[in-house]
Amino acid sequence: TFLVNISGTQIAGSYVNTAKAKGDNTTEVTATSSVEVRVPQVLGAATPELTITKTVNKSTAKPKDILTYTITVKNIGVGDASNVVVTDTLPKNLSFAHATGRTMTWNLGTLAAGHTRVLNVDVRVESDATRGTYTNVATVSADDIPTLQATAKITVTVPTVLGLATTGTGMIDYLIALLGASLILLGIAGITAKNKRDQIA
């Protein structure tokens, strides 16, 4: 009879212990005994859980405006999140005010349970931006946690003067506007001439 210790790091499964016996004038005999090792599940284990939100300080903008985006990452779990990485990707016609390229990355390292990190980034609406809706995407990833994302949208408006856009307008639009203005002037000149003829008559 003897005692066997099971390691505290033993993997769950079935294990077979084999004993053998033999003598000089007998054949070898064996016997086995199996044991199932079960690893208990710890309720409320210390696991991290991340959330990410993204906001912008105004929903509409014009070319050359500078916007401030705010990215908020929280660990609402009960365990620390390791190797937390936040990435912000800009759409076309938007650029970082103080950095090059359209992608910015922050390596936050470990985010402890219950803690929050807030990131602010200034973004410029480029001068040749056209009218439309632009979506900015931010993501967060960490060890053993699926990647999460958050978005923030803005609407770019381009000021117009007499139907002629000051930016983001093609040559055809300019020609059409010029033709319209010319026809208006010709109409005014025609009316003026007619009025003079009527006065003379």
Side-chain angles (χ1 to χ4, degrees), residues 18-33:
T18 301
K20 298 180 180 180
K22 66 177 181 178
D24 290 342
N25 59 345
T26 64
T27 58
E28 184 178 88
V29 294
T30 62
T32 60
S33 178

Side-chain angles (χ1 to χ4, degrees), residues 127-146:
S127 58
D128 59 348
T130 56
R131 293 182 183 86
T133 300
Y134 295 82
T135 302
N136 189 348
V137 180
T139 62
V140 62
S141 62
D143 289 351
D144 302 322
I145 296 177

Side-chain angles (χ1 to χ4, degrees), residues 52-119:
I52 181 172
T53 58
K54 187 178 181 68
T55 59
V56 61
N57 63 329
K58 56 183 180 179
S59 59
T60 60
K62 303 184 299 296
K64 299 183 180 180
D65 281 356
I66 293 182
L67 311 170
T68 299
Y69 286 88
T70 300
I71 304 168
T72 303
V73 178
K74 297 180 180 181
N75 183 357
I76 62 174
V78 293
D80 296 347
S82 303
N83 296 322
V84 180
V85 178
V86 176
T87 302
D88 190 32
T89 304
L90 300 178
K92 183 181 178 181
N93 291 327
L94 298 184
S95 58
F96 293 109
H98 308 293
T100 58
R102 298 193 185 280
T103 301
M104 186 175 291
T105 301
W106 295 267
N107 294 302
L108 303 184
T110 299
L111 185 60
H115 282 60
T116 300
R117 287 292 302 271
V118 178
L119 307 170

